[in-house]
Amino acid sequence: MVNTIGVIGLGVMGSNIALNMANKGEKVAVYNYTRDLTDRLVSKMNGETIQPYYEIEEFVQSLESPRKIFLMVTAGKAIDSVIESLVPFLEAEDIIMDGGNSHFEDTERRYTELKSKGIGYLGIGISGGEVGALTGPSIMPGGDKEVYEKTAPILTKIAAQVNGDPCCVYLGPKGAGHFIKMVHNGIEYADMQLIAEAYTFLREKLHLDVDEIADIFDTWNQGELKSYLIEITAEILRKKDDMTGLPLIDVILDKAGQKGTGKWTSIQAIDNGIPTSIITESLFARYISSLKEERVMAEGILKMPEVEQQNLDKNVWIDYVRQALYMGKVCAYAQGFTQYKMTSELNGWDLPLKEIALIFRGGCIIRAEFLNVISKAYEEQPDLANLLISPYFAEKITDYQMALRKVVCEGINSGISFPCLSASLTYFDSYRKGISNANILQAQRDYFGAHTYERHDQSGVFHTNWQ
Ligand code: 6PG
């Protein structure tokens, strides 16, 4: 019984988490179902305190009690089979942590099954990619609080640190941690798509070359747009292709992949009546992108008529695009945080919105300067209905809306699609109107289906004989 923690699953993420733990002074037992990955990790070690095991029983027996076992295994059935193979060797009070991108409902099922055996189970969202796993990711734990407390000394140590605070706090019961990671990824999809649209405007409307756009992104990264995704996009734009010497971005095929977490975010939102149009548009943008052959064929059929193009003043429009991107981001994060708030209320989770914003400031893919403003908004108003109406953002986006309108209109008039920028504007305009056109829908529903409607001037439910 020598090791303080065990890691199962030694792909890049699992190996780096194990190395991170070892670098922070933990004695780490590692195990992988196939020997090759264990051997690869062992060959990379420079005297870190990592002990490889090739039998699961020996691995488990090497851990001090209560045993803490961290799974970095591909989400899905593999997690269930690892748990099944572990359980015969575990005792009450032992703890399994799932650090993969599991669906939060699977986590809740596993949590309940293991709790009935006295075994603690934490669903832990981890963000930061392979570098983050090694140097400090953002960590989103969910499960029983007292179980989390036993793992907190290790988790907070391996997490990213911002101003001395770990990007890891207890977030809520059962699947709450994996739910928060899932929506994090939905926000990530929207943020990435918004950046892609800003790039498109600069390239196609302002005719800037890739290096000029990289410089603009670098400049934006000095201000209120400062974020990891803006920073890496500038670096991506500067990268040249070894084979052709062209900007690498110009030889990368325009078909986006996805592993499912953004889709889960939209499904959960739709199932629960949560308006996350920008996040969902970013998912659909990936789907449409993957219809490459059809799009190429359609380009020859669906022509845009000749329209007189206005000469746009570069410097003025670069700043419009900056403001439009900032406002789009605010709207997308507002949708993600609304999803946290509404789901928290539905499930009685009491999710700490301020802390979620704080732990997103370091380590994770959506880390951004303006998360400080988001956390402050929830600190001042813990029950804030929507980030759009927090004093800081309300003033900012009221000011920036004309830039977003101009950018979206220019795109529409030039036949360029801006799914997330336009969804942001639509969300803003729908949310800020006290009166909508849903009265027409209600009348139509009542007309053809006697579905009834309510009135402004009287309470109760009404039906009209329309014909
Ligand atoms: C992170 C990332 C990470 C990964 C996802 C999304 O926070 O570290 O979100 O979890 O990049 O798998 O990937 P897809 O774009 O393939 O869905």
Side-chain angles (χ1 to χ4, degrees):
M1 303 242 256
V2 288
N3 297 308
T4 52
I5 187 151
V7 177
I8 296 184
L10 300 177
V12 185
M13 290 294 286
S15 298
N16 283 356
I17 283 281
L19 288 164
N20 183 353
M21 289 169 174
N23 291 339
K24 301 285 162 25
E26 295 301 321
K27 290 183 170 175
V28 189
V30 294
Y31 174 83
N32 194 74
Y33 269 83
T34 53
R35 201 189 164 101
D36 52 335
L37 294 185
T38 315
D39 290 340
R40 190 185 66 182
L41 174 61
V42 171
S43 72
K44 277 203 297 191
M45 286 163 22
N46 302 312
E48 288 97 347
T49 45
I50 293 185
Q51 195 64 44
Y53 292 87
Y54 298 94
E55 295 296 332
I56 199 147
E57 184 173 0
E58 271 181 48
F59 164 86
V60 174
Q61 298 312 341
S62 80
L63 297 168
E64 64 180 31
S65 281
R67 299 183 181 91
K68 300 172 198 71
I69 299 172
F70 204 94
L71 310 185
M72 286 304 281
V73 177
T74 312
K77 287 200 168 56
I79 303 271
D80 291 308
S81 38
V82 174
I83 293 173
E84 206 180 311
S85 62
L86 275 172
V87 164
F89 307 112
L90 297 181
E91 291 165 6
E93 308 284 305
D94 287 346
I95 299 166
I96 299 176
M97 293 164 268
D98 171 12
N101 272 336
S102 290
H103 194 290
F104 73 100
E105 286 171 356
D106 286 336
T107 302
E108 305 207 328
R109 169 178 56 78
R110 292 169 187 141
Y111 161 89
T112 307
E113 283 164 11
L114 288 164
K115 197 173 170 81
S116 70
K117 297 181 168 63
I119 297 166
Y121 193 72
L122 299 174
I124 301 189
I126 300 265
S127 178
E130 37 186 290
V131 174
L134 181 64
T135 57
S138 177
I139 300 183
M140 306 156 215
D144 288 347
K145 186 147 194 212
E146 58 279 15
V147 173
Y148 167 72
E149 301 294 354
K150 292 181 191 152
T151 64
I154 299 178
L155 295 180
T156 52
K157 205 160 52 174
I158 63 163
Q161 313 285 320
V162 173
N163 305 331
D165 294 324
C167 293
C168 170
V169 287
Y170 174 73
L171 294 174
K174 299 183 182 177
H178 276 145
F179 174 77
I180 285 161
K181 175 64 187 359
M182 178 188 82
V183 177
H184 163 285
N185 282 21
I187 298 172
E188 174 185 301
Y189 279 34
D191 204 341
M192 292 165 73
Q193 178 64 29
L194 285 163
I195 292 172
E197 292 173 23
Y199 162 82
T200 303
F201 196 99
L202 299 175
R203 187 101 192 244
E204 293 188 19
K205 285 298 303 173
L206 300 186
H207 309 292
L208 301 176
D209 69 30
V210 178
D211 286 327
E212 287 172 307
I213 301 174
D215 290 343
I216 291 168
F217 275 69
D218 273 341
T219 308
W220 287 353
N221 202 38
Q222 313 297 315
E224 62 188 356
L225 276 173
K226 185 173 167 54
S227 61
Y228 172 73
L229 285 170
I230 294 281
E231 180 190 328
I232 64 163
T233 306
E235 274 181 45
I236 287 167
L237 294 177
R238 287 221 167 78
K239 189 85 180 161
K240 299 288 180 280
D241 175 35
D242 290 341
M243 283 186 264
T244 60
L246 292 167
L248 185 53
I249 201 76
D250 285 349
V251 295
I252 294 179
L253 189 65
D254 53 334
K255 282 167 91 165
Q258 52 102 19
K259 295 206 190 72
T261 44
K263 180 180 74 178
W264 296 345
T265 307
S266 290
I267 292 172
Q268 194 272 347
I270 289 167
D271 278 348
N272 291 286
I274 306 169
T276 54
S277 48
I278 310 165
I279 292 171
T280 304
E281 278 293 349
S282 68
L283 176 72
F284 287 164
R286 290 190 187 197
Y287 289 173
I288 292 180
S289 81
S290 69
L291 302 175
K292 173 76 176 172
E293 293 72 20
E294 258 181 79
R295 289 190 287 111
V296 170
M297 183 263 294
E299 192 174 354
I301 303 171
L302 306 172
K303 305 258 193 233
M304 168 95 183
E306 281 297 319
V307 274
E308 203 185 320
Q309 297 294 333
Q310 281 185 36
N311 250 345
L312 304 179
D313 179 319
K314 273 192 188 139
N315 289 332
V316 171
W317 279 84
I318 289 169
D319 203 55
Y320 286 159
V321 179
R322 182 190 68 78
Q323 292 180 29
L325 177 55
Y326 185 87
M327 179 158 171
K329 277 175 74 118
V330 172
C331 292
Y333 282 64
Q335 291 193 343
F337 275 77
T338 298
Q339 192 163 357
Y340 289 142
K341 181 175 163 57
M342 290 177 73
T343 305
S344 179
E345 285 162 5
L346 280 169
N347 294 354
W349 277 350
D350 201 17
L351 294 182
L353 300 183
K354 176 189 150 197
E355 279 72 21
I356 294 173
L358 287 177
I359 63 165
F360 283 174
R361 289 177 311 157
C364 71
I365 303 298
I366 65 169
R367 59 186 183 261
E369 193 67 24
F370 87 148
L371 284 157
N372 283 309
V373 189
I374 295 181
S375 72
K376 196 151 174 284
Y378 286 115
E379 182 176 294
E380 285 165 6
Q381 288 173 267
D383 290 329
L384 182 66
N386 189 309
L387 279 171
L388 298 188
I389 53 168
S390 70
Y392 182 89
F393 285 129
E395 193 184 330
K396 186 62 96 177
I397 61 179
T398 302
D399 188 24
Y400 282 9
Q401 62 178 297
M402 287 318 293
L404 180 58
R405 292 184 198 287
K406 285 179 204 285
V407 168
V408 169
C409 286
E410 271 298 320
I412 289 171
N413 289 334
S414 311
I416 304 172
S417 76
F418 287 137
C420 284
L421 287 171
S422 57
S424 303
L425 187 55
T426 301
Y427 179 61
F428 173 75
D429 279 335
S430 311
Y431 189 72
R432 71 184 182 84
K433 287 272 171 65
I435 291 181
S436 78
N437 51 20
N439 49 346
I440 301 288
L441 309 180
Q442 287 298 82
Q444 289 166 334
R445 292 178 67 245
D446 192 54
Y447 185 109
F448 60 67
H451 293 298
T452 74
Y453 56 88
E454 292 174 282
R455 298 177 58 102
H456 288 293
D457 54 355
Q458 285 175 50
S459 54
V461 169
F462 297 84
H463 168 61
T464 293
N465 189 2
W466 294 91
Q467 279 142 323

